[in-house]
Structure formats: C-alpha cells, structure tokens
Amino acid sequence: MSIVRVVVPFKQGKRRFHLLKGRPWSVVEHLMLAALASASATAKDLEERSLLPRQVVIEALLRLMHSGWVQISQTNEGIIFHSTSSGKDASLNEELPSVQKPIARPMNLIIDQVAGGVYRRREIPLFERHILQAQLKNEQAVWIESREIESADHVKSVVSTLFDEDERFVSMEETGDRLVDRFGVAVVRDGKIEAFPARAPDRLRTIILAAAKQAEAKPSAAFSVPKEATIVQASEARSISFGSEDLVLGGKEHEELLKKTIRRCRHDLIIHSTFLAYARYEAIKPLLQKAVERGVKVHILWGKSDEKHEVSSTRLAAAQMQDDLDGSLLGESVKVHQYSTNSHAKIIVADDGAPNSHFAVLGSCNWLYSGFQSFEASARIRDPKLCAEIVDQIAEMSCSDGHWTSLTSQLARLAQQIRSQNVPPSGRAEGSLILGYQHAEFVRAACRTAKKRIVVTSHRIGPPARNAVMIPVMAAAKNSGVNVQVYFGQASEKGDGTKAADLTMEAKDVGVRISPVFEPKVHAKILAWDDDFLVISSQNWLSADPGEGNLRREIGLYLRAPGIARRAIDKFKFECGAS
C-alpha cells in the first residue's frame, strides 16, 4: 500500500459579509397570493386550479400566512384562505416584498494557491508551515509550490461557496484581515485522493496526483506545478436560446441598440468600453438623464488607453465625464469608474424594462468611443446563465489591484439575481464564453473541423497574425482544401503593412486570400467556419495574443446555430463590399 501526503498551499483570512437570511418568494407563491387577493379559496380549490401537488400548495400558503398576507377562517365547507389588506397590496407589486432578514457576520475566506478554489473553513484543517513540517517529519510527503493565481471565477466562487441556500449575498466589506499563508494536506492512497474537500477543482486534483506520483518515484520536498496544468480550458457549450435577430452587425445597428437599451432599461445599465471619448458621452447624456429619472443605476468602466507614451486620453475622458456628472443631477446615479480594468472587452449589461429580464451584449464595439461608422459585430445574450457568467467576469474586472470594491459586491449580487431568473425555452443554439488565451482553442477547432470555409475579420494585422492564425489556417487550406478568407482594416504599427504584404504573398501560395477593407473600416473581430459556427470577440485575431497573464484581457462568445455564420459573413461582405 502506498500513502503519500501532499501539502497544498492556501491563503486564509476573515471578511465581514452582509447578507439576507431567508428564502426569497417564488413565482408560485406570488400567483397564490394574487389568486386569493381576487377571491377566497380552499386549499383544494387552489390545488385544482394550479395543477400543483397539494404539499406545494400547503407550503406556499403557510409562508404567506407567516408573513401576515393570508389568514384563515373555519366554515361549513372547511378551512377558507383569505388575503389580508396588506396581502392585496403586496400582490400588486412586480415582486413580492422581501421578508428576508438582513444580517452581517464575519466569515473565513480560504483560497487554494494552486487552482484558485474557494472553500469553507470546516472543509479542511489548515496549519502553519512549521507545525505541519514537524507533523510530517517521518511521513512520505511532498509540498506543492504556490503560484500566482489567475482564477476564472474568484468572485462567483466566494458567493456560491460561503452562503447557504436560504442566504442571499449583499456585499463584502472592502477592509479585513490580511490573508495569511496556511497549508492543508491531501492523502493520496494507492493513486486515490482522500481527506480533501469534494469541491476541489479537477485541475487541483490532477496536480495533487502528479505531485504524489513524483514523490513515489523520487522523494522531493517540493513540487513545481507544470505550466500547462494551470491553464483553464474553455467551458463546454450548452444549449441556449439564441436567434439570428440577436446578432448585431454593422455600425448603425450598434448605435441603435445602444440608444434603445438606454431608453428601455429601468434598473441596471453597465457599460464596459475599452476606450472613452467625452464627445460620445455628451451624445447620450440626454438619454442617461431620462434613464436616471426612471430609477436606473449606471456604471461605466473602461479598459486601457489608446496612447502608449502619453497621458491616457481615456483616463482624462473618464475624469472629465465624472466631473460633469458631479456637477449635474446625474451625479448620484451615474458612476464613471476612474481605474482601468486592464481589459480590451466591450460589454453592455442591462435590464429590458423589468427587474427579472436582463441581457448582455458582447463583441467588438467601443460603446463610448465609437462613432459607429465602422463595421462592428456583437451578440446579444438573453440566456440568464450565460448573461450571469458575463456579469461574473465584469465583477472580476471591477476589483482594483486585486481587492473587492463596492462595485464588485454589486455585480456579484446582480449575477446571483440574474442566475435565478427563469430560463427561456432552449432553441437550437449552443453557446459558451471564451476568455483570453482560450481563443486559440477555437482557431484550432475551426482548422480541424471546417469542411467548406473559414472566414476571419480583424481590425488590425500585425506580427502575432502569423503564429496565432495564419499558420493554422494555411495548413487547413493546404491539407483539407478549405476555402480561407482573411480580412483586416489596417496595420498595427508602422512597418507592419510591409510585413502584411509579405504574409499575403505567402498565404496566396497555398490558396489563402488576405484582403484589406477600408470602407467602411473593419472593426469586427469574427472567426466563422462553414455555415453554423461563429466566434464573436473583442480579440483582434490578426494582431493580439492575450497570453496567459490576464484571463480577461479579451472576452468572446462561441455560438453554434443553423446558418448563424453564414448570416454574419453575408452581412459583412455586403456592407464592406468584400468578395
């Protein structure tokens, strides 16, 4: 029998959380109350009219009675349920008033320093290094080295891990104890992990087993995690509701969508635009004024500057916008955040006029910088789970220097709210979010599976194009006979135009066509293959390589649906006059 103890590094500390305790009201309970507000009824009446199991009806009535909204009376026909006057008032709301109790409590925060998983304190005993070293002195043990964590869902993991089913996250206080180094032990017995939390990510389990195997073959005091073991794979596509009308293609469609979104929202509006221009803010300021009058809270975030060696024009625009807001009636409801998210993503999240109907738009458009003259490509996401994932990513991006801000808590709460919304019937589409270096997987997938054609559009072309995209697609054209068409708007840097010309000639030799498009300018970032496979992203396929250092540097969306790629390609070629 082989037993190896693998030591895993953790960070541990306490944070104070604010939450709502108690189960929120369900749609069924709201409908029951509305029915009783119209007419008194017996439990049997409600059971027959709703076609719900008797136990569900009784539990709903008991909760409504406990809140003081429903009362009972005894008659010859049996027990009759009535709505009270306060119950009738409550039934008229879009959502039943919350009866959840607000509480605050300190909670232990534990994060493993290998895969970034979040755990509850009782799930694993943790020790200081010197104590564990003494305990394992005579044991076969190996210590996994800690690494810089680039977690895919740190904020989401904190919220989903630390709270019970009847608890709803409100916020985490920004100040708290410094996270300290602690260590936990996984026992590996004959190649199987024991005495370790079940919620540990698969990546961490794989690393633990590799560390144990190394210790068996060659005893060592430390195990350095292989770089490839820490890479987060793109999530599997799942069925979503998505139609061709959810593709947003062309500058005019983007401008119309932005204005329509601001006009319709009543609760939340979040805009992440890589760059900001004060003139674009001025253009939508009247719409923002009306949105604020309806009660909308607006958050504007930005990613990075377009100037490398001078004071950031975007940072100056952000400051100028906030100064103007502070001097107007918009100041308390519209916030232009003054720190960079270090992301090139372009995102809108808003409600569609109701608190339980949110959507996201993700793609190539700099919403508060663009003049909407270029060809853009974005996708509107109505699926609650996928929309919540996008809000999760914005929450991660809202952390300033790795620390939660008040906005981080607000976004975490919004993601939780959206995730609980009713999922519409799934269509024939599949979709998944793509982060950073995961984009490379989809280039490989296109080259591996395309049967007829591959089309790539990119704002810029530069040196990264060769290894990231061109070598794979040229191999696909040469080996599989796939028709490959590549379009770009401009060279990335001075001198890249000559390099692009050289690459164009090289590609032509294997039947791949690289074409510049100047009118309208191409700003869309599209990877499409055959008729049904489409990736819409913020990543310039021909000039950017996000690498592994910033998972949210670029964010894209993979879609598979009948004819969706064909529609995007046809619209692009029509508007840009491309052949």
Side-chain angles (χ1 to χ4, degrees):
M1 178 182 294
S2 169
I3 298 178
V4 179
R5 286 169 172 78
V6 179
V7 182
V8 180
F10 289 84
K11 288 285 188 182
Q12 178 184 356
K14 278 191 176 181
R15 292 291 185 272
R16 189 171 180 82
F17 289 88
H18 296 265
L19 57 141
L20 294 174
K21 182 75 172 178
R23 184 168 64 82
W25 294 108
S26 68
V27 174
V28 168
E29 290 159 340
H30 197 164
L31 291 173
M32 290 284 180
L33 183 59
L36 292 175
S38 299
S40 301
T42 65
K44 185 174 178 60
D45 292 336
L46 294 171
E47 179 185 348
E48 292 175 350
R49 287 161 59 189
S50 66
L51 300 178
L52 291 170
R54 183 175 182 79
Q55 186 63 33
V56 173
V57 172
I58 295 299
E59 288 181 2
L61 290 171
L62 288 174
R63 286 199 77 210
L64 292 168
M65 289 173 62
H66 184 71
S67 71
W69 293 336
V70 169
Q71 60 187 12
I72 61 174
S73 63
Q74 181 71 47
T75 69
N76 293 332
E77 299 177 3
I79 295 176
I80 303 294
F81 294 86
H82 314 270
S83 172
T84 64
S85 58
S86 61
K88 290 178 180 178
D89 291 340
S91 70
L92 299 175
N93 295 308
E94 286 187 3
E95 292 186 342
L96 293 181
S98 174
V99 294
Q100 294 175 299
K101 181 181 178 181
I103 61 175
R105 68 166 180 253
M107 301 173 72
N108 278 287
L109 186 62
I110 298 172
I111 306 171
D112 80 66
Q113 295 302 288
V114 179
V118 179
Y119 308 83
R120 294 189 174 197
R121 179 66 184 89
R122 63 175 178 266
E123 288 182 310
I124 182 168
L126 297 180
F127 305 88
E128 294 182 48
R129 179 184 288 272
H130 70 277
I131 293 176
L132 206 51
Q133 285 174 331
Q135 290 181 355
L136 299 178
K137 187 175 182 180
N138 298 317
E139 304 282 353
Q140 186 176 22
V142 60
W143 294 64
I144 298 178
E145 295 180 349
S146 62
R147 67 180 192 87
E148 291 294 323
I149 296 299
E150 178 59 48
S151 173
D153 54 3
H154 181 214
V155 174
K156 175 186 174 184
S157 294
V158 168
V159 173
S160 62
T161 300
L162 300 184
F163 297 91
D164 296 328
E165 289 185 4
D166 65 341
E167 296 176 339
R168 181 178 175 184
F169 169 83
V170 175
S171 66
M172 182 182 81
E173 293 184 5
E174 297 171 33
T175 59
D177 296 343
R178 182 177 62 87
L179 296 180
V180 297
D181 293 326
R182 291 293 183 266
F183 301 87
V185 179
V187 177
V188 178
R189 189 189 307 270
D190 296 331
K192 294 183 179 180
I193 300 175
E194 300 176 356
F196 206 71
R199 75 168 75 249
D202 290 341
R203 284 185 299 140
L204 177 56
R205 292 181 169 276
T206 300
I207 292 166
I208 289 172
L209 291 174
K213 189 173 182 180
Q214 171 187 291
E216 290 177 348
K218 183 180 179 181
S220 174
F223 177 80
S224 181
V225 180
K227 189 175 183 180
E228 60 272 15
T230 65
I231 292 178
V232 180
Q233 299 299 312
S235 60
E236 290 187 8
R238 64 167 180 269
S239 179
I240 63 171
S241 178
F242 190 92
S244 59
E245 70 279 4
D246 292 317
L247 281 181
V248 188
L249 302 168
K252 185 173 179 57
E253 285 192 15
H254 281 77
E255 183 175 24
E256 291 173 350
L257 176 62
L258 175 62
K259 292 179 178 178
K260 181 180 178 182
T261 298
I262 300 174
R263 289 190 184 105
R264 287 181 61 88
C265 64
R266 300 180 64 85
H267 304 275
D268 305 295
L269 175 61
I270 301 157
I271 302 175
H272 186 281
S273 180
T274 306
F275 310 129
L276 300 178
Y278 188 78
R280 304 316 309 163
Y281 155 75
E282 283 191 309
I284 63 168
K285 185 177 176 180
L287 296 178
L288 292 176
Q289 175 69 58
K290 292 181 180 179
V292 166
E293 291 172 358
R294 296 192 302 271
V296 178
K297 297 294 185 183
V298 183
H299 290 279
I300 296 172
L301 298 103
W302 50 277
K304 69 182 188 66
S305 171
D306 54 339
E307 298 178 1
K308 293 185 177 181
H309 307 296
E310 300 178 12
V311 177
S312 165
S313 62
T314 292
R315 191 180 297 276
L316 290 174
Q320 189 179 5
M321 290 162 64
Q322 191 60 54
D323 286 344
D324 182 71
L325 289 166
D326 291 341
S328 72
L329 297 176
L330 299 175
E332 293 186 0
S333 297
V334 182
K335 175 71 173 176
V336 182
H337 295 271
Q338 298 299 301
Y339 57 88
S340 169
T341 64
N342 295 312
S343 174
H344 191 241
K346 301 94 164 60
I347 304 171
I348 289 178
V349 175
D351 66 273
D352 201 16
N356 60 348
S357 177
H358 286 76
F359 66 93
V361 183
L362 187 152
S364 69
C365 184
N366 284 307
W367 299 100
L368 294 179
Y369 186 80
S370 173
F372 303 105
Q373 300 301 311
S374 300
F375 184 86
E376 306 277 7
S378 297
R380 178 169 39 210
I381 307 301
R382 303 180 189 275
D383 179 81
K385 290 185 178 179
L386 198 51
C387 182
E389 283 186 31
I390 292 171
V391 178
D392 287 332
Q393 301 309 320
I394 305 175
E396 297 288 351
M397 290 151 53
S398 73
C399 295
S400 179
D401 295 326
H403 300 288
W404 282 38
T405 62
S406 60
L407 178 59
T408 307
S409 289
Q410 292 176 50
L411 291 169
R413 187 168 65 248
L414 179 60
Q416 189 180 39
Q417 174 190 337
I418 295 173
R419 198 169 277 111
S420 67
Q421 293 173 6
N422 293 328
V423 178
S426 295
R428 293 185 296 165
E430 292 182 346
S432 67
L433 211 58
I434 308 171
L435 304 178
Y437 53 76
Q438 296 171 355
H439 284 76
E441 294 183 31
F442 289 88
V443 174
R444 291 191 291 268
C447 295
R448 185 175 62 251
T449 63
K451 300 294 189 295
K452 298 185 300 181
R453 66 176 173 180
I454 298 173
V455 175
V456 179
T457 73
S458 180
H459 176 212
R460 299 177 182 273
I461 189 169
R466 181 177 178 80
N467 292 332
V469 174
M470 293 312 302
I471 288 179
V473 299
M474 286 191 294
K478 183 177 180 180
N479 299 330
S480 304
V482 177
N483 178 23
V484 179
Q485 297 171 315
V486 177
Y487 302 91
F488 69 93
Q490 65 184 68
S492 294
E493 303 285 352
K494 186 176 180 180
D496 284 346
T498 301
K499 296 175 184 177
D502 293 340
L503 187 58
T504 299
M505 295 302 297
E506 181 183 355
K508 186 177 180 181
D509 291 340
V510 293
V512 173
R513 186 174 60 188
I514 303 177
S515 305
V517 178
F518 302 118
E519 188 61 38
K521 293 181 179 179
V522 178
H523 197 253
K525 300 95 165 67
I526 294 173
L527 170 65
W529 64 102
D530 295 338
D531 289 340
D532 304 337
F533 302 89
L534 178 67
V535 174
I536 285 179
S537 179
S538 65
Q539 173 163 311
N540 279 306
W541 297 99
L542 303 179
S543 65
D545 182 3
E548 299 172 15
N550 181 355
L551 196 57
R552 295 166 192 87
R553 172 68 171 79
E554 308 286 356
I555 301 181
L557 182 72
Y558 163 72
L559 294 164
R560 178 182 180 181
I564 193 170
R566 181 175 65 249
R567 183 176 185 277
I569 294 168
D570 289 350
K571 183 69 178 290
F572 165 74
K573 290 187 174 181
F574 175 77
E575 288 208 11
C576 296
S579 57

